[in-house]
Amino acid sequence: QVQLVESGGGLVQAGESLRLSCAASGSISSIRTMGWYRQLPGKQRELVAVITSTGSTNFVDSVKGRFTISTDNTKNAVYLQMNSLKPEDTAVYYCHVGASMFPFQYWGQGTQVTVSS
């Protein structure tokens, strides 16, 4: 089992920055990918950014050039640096881990990011 604890959400104005953090504990060796999803009310959760155990990254087109994802293996953590935030980035952001063993994925509790115009 993997446990995830998120932090870093909040209310900012358009153009400002936020950094989300997610610390993993438990069966760390089973982790293969770490990433962030977001969800608006009534909409499906969408992938924002992901980083693999080899360091490869992928981003949804709408955040490319503004968001970066990184990990700190000493802290078993993943970070989402969000710059030049826009009102359309407003959502609940969820940390996600892909693992090599059942149940193969884990979710954080979610953190609200609100960007005012």
PDB file of all heavy atoms in Angstrom, residues 44-62:
ATOM      1  N   GLN A  44     -14.875  15.110 -15.753  1.00  0.00           N
ATOM      2  CA  GLN A  44     -13.969  13.997 -15.513  1.00  0.00           C
ATOM      3  C   GLN A  44     -12.607  14.503 -15.051  1.00  0.00           C
ATOM      4  O   GLN A  44     -12.185  15.607 -15.397  1.00  0.00           O
ATOM      5  CB  GLN A  44     -13.799  13.171 -16.790  1.00  0.00           C
ATOM      6  CG  GLN A  44     -14.983  12.285 -17.119  1.00  0.00           C
ATOM      7  CD  GLN A  44     -14.662  11.288 -18.215  1.00  0.00           C
ATOM      8  OE1 GLN A  44     -13.836  11.535 -19.065  1.00  0.00           O
ATOM      9  NE2 GLN A  44     -15.327  10.148 -18.175  1.00  0.00           N
ATOM     10  N   ARG A  45     -11.952  13.676 -14.271  1.00  0.00           N
ATOM     11  CA  ARG A  45     -10.605  14.001 -13.833  1.00  0.00           C
ATOM     12  C   ARG A  45      -9.673  13.922 -15.037  1.00  0.00           C
ATOM     13  O   ARG A  45      -9.745  12.985 -15.829  1.00  0.00           O
ATOM     14  CB  ARG A  45     -10.183  13.002 -12.755  1.00  0.00           C
ATOM     15  CG  ARG A  45      -9.150  13.463 -11.792  1.00  0.00           C
ATOM     16  CD  ARG A  45      -9.025  12.505 -10.645  1.00  0.00           C
ATOM     17  NE  ARG A  45     -10.146  12.593  -9.721  1.00  0.00           N
ATOM     18  CZ  ARG A  45     -10.179  11.963  -8.560  1.00  0.00           C
ATOM     19  NH1 ARG A  45      -9.162  11.201  -8.183  1.00  0.00           N
ATOM     20  NH2 ARG A  45     -11.242  12.087  -7.774  1.00  0.00           N
ATOM     21  N   GLU A  46      -8.797  14.926 -15.195  1.00  0.00           N
ATOM     22  CA  GLU A  46      -7.875  14.934 -16.322  1.00  0.00           C
ATOM     23  C   GLU A  46      -6.438  14.939 -15.833  1.00  0.00           C
ATOM     24  O   GLU A  46      -6.107  15.538 -14.808  1.00  0.00           O
ATOM     25  CB  GLU A  46      -8.120  16.145 -17.236  1.00  0.00           C
ATOM     26  CG  GLU A  46      -7.718  17.481 -16.660  1.00  0.00           C
ATOM     27  CD  GLU A  46      -7.631  18.599 -17.701  1.00  0.00           C
ATOM     28  OE1 GLU A  46      -7.756  18.324 -18.903  1.00  0.00           O
ATOM     29  OE2 GLU A  46      -7.394  19.746 -17.284  1.00  0.00           O
ATOM     30  N   LEU A  47      -5.592  14.268 -16.603  1.00  0.00           N
ATOM     31  CA  LEU A  47      -4.171  14.259 -16.289  1.00  0.00           C
ATOM     32  C   LEU A  47      -3.579  15.635 -16.566  1.00  0.00           C
ATOM     33  O   LEU A  47      -3.784  16.208 -17.637  1.00  0.00           O
ATOM     34  CB  LEU A  47      -3.460  13.204 -17.143  1.00  0.00           C
ATOM     35  CG  LEU A  47      -1.943  13.165 -17.009  1.00  0.00           C
ATOM     36  CD1 LEU A  47      -1.528  12.727 -15.610  1.00  0.00           C
ATOM     37  CD2 LEU A  47      -1.339  12.243 -18.059  1.00  0.00           C
ATOM     38  N   VAL A  48      -2.833  16.147 -15.603  1.00  0.00           N
ATOM     39  CA  VAL A  48      -2.151  17.420 -15.768  1.00  0.00           C
ATOM     40  C   VAL A  48      -0.683  17.185 -16.114  1.00  0.00           C
ATOM     41  O   VAL A  48      -0.162  17.757 -17.069  1.00  0.00           O
ATOM     42  CB  VAL A  48      -2.254  18.266 -14.486  1.00  0.00           C
ATOM     43  CG1 VAL A  48      -1.478  19.575 -14.642  1.00  0.00           C
ATOM     44  CG2 VAL A  48      -3.708  18.539 -14.143  1.00  0.00           C
ATOM     45  N   ALA A  49      -0.019  16.362 -15.323  1.00  0.00           N
ATOM     46  CA  ALA A  49       1.411  16.105 -15.527  1.00  0.00           C
ATOM     47  C   ALA A  49       1.775  14.788 -14.882  1.00  0.00           C
ATOM     48  O   ALA A  49       1.186  14.395 -13.872  1.00  0.00           O
ATOM     49  CB  ALA A  49       2.254  17.227 -14.925  1.00  0.00           C
ATOM     50  N   VAL A  50       2.756  14.125 -15.482  1.00  0.00           N
ATOM     51  CA  VAL A  50       3.224  12.846 -14.943  1.00  0.00           C
ATOM     52  C   VAL A  50       4.723  12.755 -15.143  1.00  0.00           C
ATOM     53  O   VAL A  50       5.271  13.313 -16.101  1.00  0.00           O
ATOM     54  CB  VAL A  50       2.504  11.661 -15.611  1.00  0.00           C
ATOM     55  CG1 VAL A  50       2.800  11.603 -17.092  1.00  0.00           C
ATOM     56  CG2 VAL A  50       2.844  10.345 -14.923  1.00  0.00           C
ATOM     57  N   ILE A  51       5.386  12.086 -14.208  1.00  0.00           N
ATOM     58  CA  ILE A  51       6.812  11.826 -14.317  1.00  0.00           C
ATOM     59  C   ILE A  51       7.036  10.357 -13.989  1.00  0.00           C
ATOM     60  O   ILE A  51       6.461   9.817 -13.047  1.00  0.00           O
ATOM     61  CB  ILE A  51       7.628  12.759 -13.394  1.00  0.00           C
ATOM     62  CG1 ILE A  51       9.123  12.557 -13.601  1.00  0.00           C
ATOM     63  CG2 ILE A  51       7.237  12.591 -11.921  1.00  0.00           C
ATOM     64  CD1 ILE A  51       9.983  13.656 -12.970  1.00  0.00           C
ATOM     65  N   THR A  52       7.859   9.716 -14.816  1.00  0.00           N
ATOM     66  CA  THR A  52       8.113   8.298 -14.612  1.00  0.00           C
ATOM     67  C   THR A  52       9.353   8.097 -13.733  1.00  0.00           C
ATOM     68  O   THR A  52      10.091   9.046 -13.444  1.00  0.00           O
ATOM     69  CB  THR A  52       8.338   7.587 -15.943  1.00  0.00           C
ATOM     70  OG1 THR A  52       9.606   8.016 -16.491  1.00  0.00           O
ATOM     71  CG2 THR A  52       7.241   7.915 -16.942  1.00  0.00           C
ATOM     72  N   SER A  53       9.585   6.860 -13.379  1.00  0.00           N
ATOM     73  CA  SER A  53      10.742   6.548 -12.543  1.00  0.00           C
ATOM     74  C   SER A  53      12.062   6.798 -13.263  1.00  0.00           C
ATOM     75  O   SER A  53      13.108   6.930 -12.623  1.00  0.00           O
ATOM     76  CB  SER A  53      10.673   5.089 -12.080  1.00  0.00           C
ATOM     77  OG  SER A  53      10.602   4.225 -13.197  1.00  0.00           O
ATOM     78  N   THR A  54      11.996   6.917 -14.594  1.00  0.00           N
ATOM     79  CA  THR A  54      13.210   7.220 -15.364  1.00  0.00           C
ATOM     80  C   THR A  54      13.360   8.715 -15.633  1.00  0.00           C
ATOM     81  O   THR A  54      14.328   9.135 -16.269  1.00  0.00           O
ATOM     82  CB  THR A  54      13.200   6.479 -16.709  1.00  0.00           C
ATOM     83  OG1 THR A  54      12.051   6.891 -17.455  1.00  0.00           O
ATOM     84  CG2 THR A  54      13.177   4.981 -16.505  1.00  0.00           C
ATOM     85  N   GLY A  55      12.388   9.505 -15.175  1.00  0.00           N
ATOM     86  CA  GLY A  55      12.480  10.956 -15.326  1.00  0.00           C
ATOM     87  C   GLY A  55      11.746  11.527 -16.522  1.00  0.00           C
ATOM     88  O   GLY A  55      11.756  12.749 -16.727  1.00  0.00           O
ATOM     89  N   SER A  56      11.120  10.696 -17.304  1.00  0.00           N
ATOM     90  CA  SER A  56      10.337  11.215 -18.430  1.00  0.00           C
ATOM     91  C   SER A  56       9.100  11.926 -17.920  1.00  0.00           C
ATOM     92  O   SER A  56       8.484  11.496 -16.944  1.00  0.00           O
ATOM     93  CB  SER A  56       9.927  10.069 -19.356  1.00  0.00           C
ATOM     94  OG  SER A  56      11.059   9.440 -19.901  1.00  0.00           O
ATOM     95  N   THR A  57       8.739  13.010 -18.590  1.00  0.00           N
ATOM     96  CA  THR A  57       7.583  13.797 -18.177  1.00  0.00           C
ATOM     97  C   THR A  57       6.602  13.974 -19.329  1.00  0.00           C
ATOM     98  O   THR A  57       6.972  13.894 -20.502  1.00  0.00           O
ATOM     99  CB  THR A  57       8.001  15.178 -17.660  1.00  0.00           C
ATOM    100  OG1 THR A  57       8.679  15.888 -18.708  1.00  0.00           O
ATOM    101  CG2 THR A  57       8.914  15.067 -16.459  1.00  0.00           C
ATOM    102  N   ASN A  58       5.365  14.236 -18.951  1.00  0.00           N
ATOM    103  CA  ASN A  58       4.335  14.526 -19.942  1.00  0.00           C
ATOM    104  C   ASN A  58       3.342  15.489 -19.312  1.00  0.00           C
ATOM    105  O   ASN A  58       3.049  15.399 -18.115  1.00  0.00           O
ATOM    106  CB  ASN A  58       3.631  13.251 -20.385  1.00  0.00           C
ATOM    107  CG  ASN A  58       2.817  13.455 -21.644  1.00  0.00           C
ATOM    108  OD1 ASN A  58       3.131  14.314 -22.455  1.00  0.00           O
ATOM    109  ND2 ASN A  58       1.778  12.661 -21.804  1.00  0.00           N
ATOM    110  N   PHE A  59       2.849  16.410 -20.129  1.00  0.00           N
ATOM    111  CA  PHE A  59       1.931  17.433 -19.649  1.00  0.00           C
ATOM    112  C   PHE A  59       0.736  17.551 -20.577  1.00  0.00           C
ATOM    113  O   PHE A  59       0.862  17.367 -21.788  1.00  0.00           O
ATOM    114  CB  PHE A  59       2.627  18.801 -19.588  1.00  0.00           C
ATOM    115  CG  PHE A  59       3.789  18.867 -18.657  1.00  0.00           C
ATOM    116  CD1 PHE A  59       5.057  18.511 -19.093  1.00  0.00           C
ATOM    117  CD2 PHE A  59       3.630  19.297 -17.352  1.00  0.00           C
ATOM    118  CE1 PHE A  59       6.139  18.560 -18.239  1.00  0.00           C
ATOM    119  CE2 PHE A  59       4.709  19.360 -16.485  1.00  0.00           C
ATOM    120  CZ  PHE A  59       5.961  18.999 -16.931  1.00  0.00           C
ATOM    121  N   VAL A  60      -0.395  17.915 -20.013  1.00  0.00           N
ATOM    122  CA  VAL A  60      -1.535  18.262 -20.853  1.00  0.00           C
ATOM    123  C   VAL A  60      -1.183  19.554 -21.585  1.00  0.00           C
ATOM    124  O   VAL A  60      -0.469  20.415 -21.046  1.00  0.00           O
ATOM    125  CB  VAL A  60      -2.814  18.418 -20.000  1.00  0.00           C
ATOM    126  CG1 VAL A  60      -2.718  19.596 -19.042  1.00  0.00           C
ATOM    127  CG2 VAL A  60      -4.041  18.497 -20.871  1.00  0.00           C
ATOM    128  N   ASP A  61      -1.657  19.691 -22.799  1.00  0.00           N
ATOM    129  CA  ASP A  61      -1.258  20.818 -23.646  1.00  0.00           C
ATOM    130  C   ASP A  61      -1.518  22.164 -22.978  1.00  0.00           C
ATOM    131  O   ASP A  61      -0.734  23.104 -23.132  1.00  0.00           O
ATOM    132  CB  ASP A  61      -2.000  20.753 -24.988  1.00  0.00           C
ATOM    133  CG  ASP A  61      -1.451  19.680 -25.902  1.00  0.00           C
ATOM    134  OD1 ASP A  61      -0.353  19.155 -25.628  1.00  0.00           O
ATOM    135  OD2 ASP A  61      -2.128  19.356 -26.905  1.00  0.00           O
ATOM    136  N   SER A  62      -2.589  22.269 -22.233  1.00  0.00           N
ATOM    137  CA  SER A  62      -2.990  23.563 -21.682  1.00  0.00           C
ATOM    138  C   SER A  62      -2.028  24.094 -20.619  1.00  0.00           C
ATOM    139  O   SER A  62      -2.100  25.275 -20.273  1.00  0.00           O
ATOM    140  CB  SER A  62      -4.396  23.471 -21.096  1.00  0.00           C
ATOM    141  OG  SER A  62      -4.449  22.506 -20.059  1.00  0.00           O
TER     142      SER A  62
END
